[in-house]
């Protein structure tokens, strides 16, 4: 894990331009957020393949469906809060139910717009999106994974929702990492407990593992870029081989945490702790401060692991 | 075999194999037909559609006849003449085919029946309307019927999709046209106005939005619910060329739906009557999704048969 922090939007914009150069079907549909989506260079290079519908998110997703009807591969880019909430029915009907080949790029989701307040937070999106049939839901953790996810999405036929954060994150994957949908990545091995993280919280889970290692506690850290499809096999192995599972995410605990809990409770119940927002709107503050506040700091994650290890063994 | 009839899944073969006596598959207006013959062909087709559609609702015990009858003339005019399309072109997903989005998706039964009369789906499939496992849902699904271009039902979705289709045509350097049929009550959904703005901004001249101005929504008059007027001025202000016609007059519809070159998208305000032309249904708000009794079906059929007889008489 490098100390340098990256803005994954740079990786998104680079990867999109790269796939667009190789495939003339690739287009972008955007809601005035050209700058905040870092799409200025793309629009300059591909003016005819850029559609800016203005501040009109519902129509934006519908326009993408019309483009997909003609065989285009539209990447729809907008702030996660507006894309997910404002265009929810269009995502359900025009993208997912219609089986349209649309890529929905949720920019700066979670609490990335921390100080803009709850109206601009998108803590519900992983929960909402994972309940829509047929929609693939991805949250890459670092710039290299963001690049690979965008390339994969361009090749993959089907509706896909991807979180891309502006929050600074370090590179978390080893050299040669290859993203695969529906696959968790074991970034640390360990049999005491498992921490499952996605997106911007993965680096925090790794720091927690380091803190715990200093105490002799060996946690398995699973990065779960696919919230849907979930790597149920990896979750089950974690349930069988370790004492319990901590999930951590930048959003409501019903997103990744809900998905993992459903899998665990149906197939192999073990103690769990889910770190994320509960039944509240996040207050205002920086993204980092808000994540710390909900226990998604390295110290908070480590504490949740210790809680599980203090429980009587169940198997 | 169902693929050959534009249906993406197998349906009960007995339904498909049984000869269908209830509908006359008419196909497209012959290319060399004169205006009078073309109008006659389309009027006959529209009457066929209405005859079958009311029987379908009568037996399925559900449907939206009022708003289906108001756009039947537009549907047959588009599918049987105006659109550059054929069952073969649809079947092979010809990229150059014209597109139609039925934004008022609750009029699905009229769409299915018009597609059957036009030869795009097997008429036998109409008997499966709303049945379990049927491809003929209460709202049209592109996943199930090849000739359906967009999944619609929730209002306010169609025009944005049509705008995207028209932009794609422009990107492709194609002259293909895109049509969208909207309800007037539907215009209360704000997403339409987002799309009207975009269509006007991009001067999508091969995009035509036809507004079914039947003045009634589900429970009341549009004007008593959330007033649309002055609709003509609003659409003009959004950068569209606006044409107003009698939407139950096929000769006028043919004119209004003909190609243009004004550099603007075209909005056709089609003044129609909900339930047209059935006497007890016409302009009557209760017929949004009411199911006719057996006697009402019979009465409508006899009124429609009188129209058929007149058209056929004129033919001689």
């Amino acid at each position: 894990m490098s100390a340098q922090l990256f803005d994954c939007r740079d990786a998104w914009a680079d990867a999109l331009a790269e796939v667009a150069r190789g495939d003339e079907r690739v287009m972008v549909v955007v809601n005035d957020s050209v700058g905040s989506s870092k799409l200025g260079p793309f629009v300059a290079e591909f003016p005819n393949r850029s559609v800016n519908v203005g501040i009109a998110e519902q129509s934006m997703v519908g326009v993408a469906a019309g483009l997909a009807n003609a065989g285009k591969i539209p990447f729809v880019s907008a702030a996660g809060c507006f894309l997910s909430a404002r265009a929810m029915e269009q995502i359900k009907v025009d993208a997912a139910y219609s089986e349209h080949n649309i890529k929905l790029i949720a920019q700066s989701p979670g609490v990335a717009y921390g100080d803009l307040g709850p109206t601009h937070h998108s803590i519900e999106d992983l929960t909402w999106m994972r309940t829509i049939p047929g929609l693939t839901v991805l949250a890459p953790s670092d710039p290299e994974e963001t690049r690979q996810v965008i390339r994969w999405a361009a090749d993959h036929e089907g509706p896909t929702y991807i979180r891309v954060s502006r929050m600074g994150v370090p590179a978390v994957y080893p050299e040669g990492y290859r993203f695969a949908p529906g696959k968790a990545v074991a970034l640390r091995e360990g049999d005491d407990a498992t921490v499952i993280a996605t997106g911007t919280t993965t680096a925090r889970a790794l720091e927690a593992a380091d803190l715990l290692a200093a105490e002799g506690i060996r946690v398995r850290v699973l990065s779960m870029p696919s919230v849907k499809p979930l790597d149920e096999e990896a979750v089950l192995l974690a349930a069988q081989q370790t004492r319990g599972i901590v999930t951590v995410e930048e959003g409501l605990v019903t997103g990744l945490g809900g998905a993992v809990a459903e899998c665990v409770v149906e197939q192999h119940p073990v103690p769990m702790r889910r770190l994320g927002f509960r039944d509240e709107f996040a207050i205002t503050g920086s993204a980092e401060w808000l994540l710390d506040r909900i226990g998604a700091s390295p110290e908070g994650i480590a504490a949740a692991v210790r809680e599980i290890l203090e429980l009587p063994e169940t198997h | 075999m169902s693929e050959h009839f534009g249906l993406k899944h197998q349906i009960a073969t007995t339904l498909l194999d049984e000869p269908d006596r209830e509908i006359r598959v008419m196909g497209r207006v012959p290319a060399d037909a004169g205006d009078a013959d073309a109008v006659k062909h389309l009027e006959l087709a529209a009457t066929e559609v209405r005859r079958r559609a009311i029987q379908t609702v009568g037996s399925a015990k559900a449907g939206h006849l009022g708003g289906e009858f108001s756009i039947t003339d537009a549907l047959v005019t588009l599918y049987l003449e105006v659109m550059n399309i054929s069952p073969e072109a649809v079947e092979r997903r010809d990229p150059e085919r014209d597109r139609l989005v039925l934004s008022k998706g609750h009029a699905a039964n009229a769409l299915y029946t018009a597609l059957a009369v036009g030869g795009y789906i097997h008429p036998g499939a109409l008997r499966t309307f709303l049945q379990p496992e049927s491809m003929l849902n209460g709202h049209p699904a592109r996943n199930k019927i090849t000739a359906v271009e967009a999944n619609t039902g929730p209002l306010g979705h169609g025009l944005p999709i049509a705008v995207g289709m028209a932009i794609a045509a422009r990107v492709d350097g194609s002259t293909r046209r895109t049509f969208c049929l909207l309800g007037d009550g539907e215009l209360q959904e704000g997403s339409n106005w987002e799309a009207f703005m975009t269509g006007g901004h991009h001067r999508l001249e091969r995009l035509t939005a036809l507004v079914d101005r039947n003045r009634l929504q589900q429970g009341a008059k549009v004007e008593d619910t959330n007033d649309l007027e002055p609709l003509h001025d609003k659409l003009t202000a959004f950068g569209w060329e606006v044409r107003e016609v009698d939407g139950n007059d096929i000769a006028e519809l043919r004119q209004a739906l003909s190609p243009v070159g004004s550099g603007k998208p075209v909005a056709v305000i089609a003044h129609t009557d909900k339930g047209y032309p059935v006497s007890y249904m016409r302009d009557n708000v209760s017929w949004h999704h009411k199911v006719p009794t057996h006697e009402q079906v019979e009465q409508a059929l006899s009124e429609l048969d009188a129209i058929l007889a007149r058209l056929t008489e004129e033919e001689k």
Side-chain angles (χ1 to χ4, degrees):
Chain A
M1 205 163 64
S2 68
Q4 192 190 346
L5 298 183
F6 300 92
D7 179 338
C8 289
R9 293 176 303 164
D10 295 320
W12 130 260
D14 287 349
L16 181 74
E18 179 196 308
V19 295
R21 282 179 207 120
D23 188 338
E24 63 176 22
R25 296 173 300 168
V26 171
M27 293 184 67
V28 73
V29 187
V30 65
N31 68 331
D32 187 43
S33 65
V34 172
S36 55
S37 293
K38 299 226 176 196
L39 285 169
F42 183 95
V43 173
E45 186 175 349
F46 304 103
N48 297 330
R49 285 151 68 182
S50 307
V51 182
N52 186 347
V53 297
I55 307 159
E57 289 77 18
Q58 297 178 54
S59 180
M60 171 180 68
V61 176
V63 165
L67 294 172
N69 167 279
K72 308 298 177 194
I73 305 173
F75 281 75
V76 175
S77 177
C81 52
F82 306 129
L83 174 62
S84 65
R86 204 128 187 178
M88 184 73 164
E89 192 181 74
Q90 280 75 12
I91 292 173
K92 170 190 156 189
V93 176
D94 304 351
Y97 168 49
S98 298
E99 298 173 9
H100 269 136
N101 192 20
I102 297 175
K103 317 303 162 186
L104 302 156
I105 312 300
Q107 300 286 350
S108 305
V111 289
Y113 287 121
D115 45 19
L116 297 185
T119 55
H120 285 59
H121 298 163
S122 172
I123 59 174
E124 309 87 356
D125 62 340
L126 289 179
T127 303
W128 289 341
M129 294 304 145
R130 79 176 182 86
T131 64
I132 297 179
L135 187 64
T136 299
V137 182
L138 306 174
S141 297
D142 76 358
E144 177 55 26
E145 189 172 53
T146 302
R147 236 172 254 123
Q148 294 195 28
V149 160
I150 297 300
R151 283 187 211 129
W152 175 83
D155 285 338
H156 166 71
E157 174 84 23
T160 308
Y161 183 89
I162 302 168
R163 271 184 159 199
V164 174
S165 186
R166 68 168 61 208
M167 188 182 153
V169 287
V172 296
Y173 292 102
E175 195 86 7
Y177 166 70
R178 285 290 165 267
F179 164 78
K183 286 290 166 207
V185 189
L187 290 174
R188 292 277 194 286
E189 294 295 349
D191 290 334
D192 290 330
T194 303
V195 177
I196 305 181
T198 193
T200 54
T201 57
T202 305
R204 289 164 169 252
L206 289 172
E207 285 185 53
D210 291 342
L211 293 177
L212 291 163
E215 301 166 25
I217 298 170
R218 296 183 65 252
V219 292
R220 180 179 306 183
V221 175
L222 295 180
S223 167
M224 192 72 81
S226 289
V227 173
K228 198 173 97 182
L230 189 75
D231 187 345
E232 296 205 357
E233 197 184 334
V235 171
L236 281 179
L237 280 178
Q240 289 159 0
Q241 296 173 350
T242 74
R243 295 267 300 275
I245 296 172
V246 174
T247 60
V248 52
E249 62 199 295
E250 189 185 341
L252 292 171
V253 296
T254 43
L256 173 72
V260 170
E262 288 161 17
C263 174
V264 165
V265 81
E266 281 186 345
Q267 304 189 53
H268 192 98
V270 290
M272 275 191 70
R273 291 290 182 275
R274 295 179 299 161
L275 300 176
F277 291 91
R278 300 251 164 188
D279 186 19
E280 63 169 346
F281 288 107
I283 55 174
T284 300
S286 73
E288 290 80 0
W289 181 84
L290 280 163
L291 284 176
D292 289 351
R293 183 179 165 275
I294 57 165
S297 60
E299 294 75 17
I301 297 167
V305 168
R306 281 187 218 104
E307 264 181 56
I308 283 178
L309 295 177
E310 282 159 16
L311 296 171
E313 276 205 66
T314 55
H315 62 279
Chain B
M1 67 171 275
S2 58
E3 266 305 315
H4 300 138
F5 295 104
L7 304 173
K8 294 186 179 175
H9 307 284
Q10 191 66 47
I11 60 171
T13 47
T14 49
L15 287 171
L16 287 177
D17 292 343
E18 194 183 317
D20 197 306
R21 301 174 204 86
E22 295 165 356
I23 192 165
R24 178 172 158 203
V25 177
M26 298 184 58
R28 289 180 64 82
V29 171
D32 58 355
D35 283 343
D37 287 343
V39 169
K40 179 70 61 62
H41 185 102
L42 295 170
E43 286 177 344
L44 282 167
T47 311
E48 279 294 328
V49 169
R50 290 185 173 104
R51 286 187 87 263
R52 189 63 181 86
I54 193 167
Q55 294 174 71
T56 300
V57 172
S59 51
K61 302 285 179 228
H64 292 86
L65 282 169
E68 285 168 344
F69 280 11
S70 57
I71 58 159
T72 297
D73 301 299
L75 281 171
V76 299
T77 302
L78 285 160
Y79 276 110
L80 272 57
E81 187 182 28
V82 172
M83 288 170 71
N84 179 21
I85 189 176
S86 66
E88 298 71 32
V90 166
E91 210 49 47
R92 63 170 190 272
R93 312 301 292 160
D94 182 348
E96 288 306 298
R97 72 192 185 280
D98 286 353
R99 267 83 162 169
L100 182 143
V101 178
L102 180 68
S103 193
K104 43 175 288 181
H106 52 286
N109 176 32
L111 173 65
Y112 302 147
T113 315
L115 289 173
V117 168
Y120 293 87
I121 63 173
H122 193 294
L126 297 174
R127 266 169 276 157
T128 72
F129 180 63
L130 306 186
Q131 299 302 306
E133 304 278 329
S134 173
M135 289 141 295
L136 275 51
N137 299 0
H139 296 90
R142 67 182 285 273
N143 322 54
K144 299 183 175 181
I145 301 173
T146 316
V148 169
E149 297 283 359
N151 292 0
T152 51
L155 300 174
H157 284 238
L159 192 60
I161 296 172
V163 165
M165 290 173 171
I167 290 174
R170 177 171 288 176
V171 169
D172 289 342
S174 167
T175 56
R176 64 181 185 253
R177 299 179 68 191
T178 307
F179 298 89
C180 182
L181 296 193
L182 304 107
D184 53 357
E186 178 178 9
L187 295 187
Q188 290 160 356
E189 291 279 9
S191 48
N192 292 307
W193 299 97
E194 296 179 356
F196 275 126
M197 282 180 78
T198 304
H201 175 83
H202 288 282
R203 306 180 70 85
L204 299 171
E205 67 176 349
R206 292 191 174 85
L207 171 64
T208 298
L210 184 141
V211 178
D212 176 29
R213 190 77 172 104
N214 63 29
R215 307 174 303 283
L216 298 176
Q217 52 195 97
Q218 184 179 142
K221 289 183 180 173
V222 175
E223 308 323 302
D224 292 341
T225 307
N226 196 1
D227 195 356
L228 275 189
E229 292 298 341
L231 183 58
H232 190 294
D233 295 348
K234 285 176 182 168
L235 296 171
T236 304
F238 275 66
W240 290 57
E241 180 192 326
V242 183
R243 302 169 172 188
E244 296 206 45
V245 296
D246 178 344
N248 297 129
D249 182 318
I250 281 171
E252 288 195 25
L253 279 170
R254 290 174 77 231
Q255 287 281 326
L257 294 168
S258 62
V260 288
S262 66
K264 293 178 178 182
V266 175
V268 176
I269 300 176
H271 295 280
T272 62
D273 282 347
K274 211 160 172 171
Y276 178 90
V278 176
S279 58
Y280 61 84
M281 207 183 284
R282 193 169 172 174
D283 202 26
N284 181 339
V285 74
S286 71
W287 282 95
H288 180 76
H289 54 202
K290 193 165 156 178
V291 177
T293 62
H294 179 72
E295 292 69 29
Q296 285 170 323
V297 171
E298 292 301 316
Q299 186 189 332
L301 287 177
S302 86
E303 292 183 20
L304 292 164
D305 283 345
I307 294 172
L308 273 183
R310 175 175 58 75
L311 290 169
T312 315
E313 186 59 30
E314 286 170 17
E315 227 169 302
K316 285 176 188 164

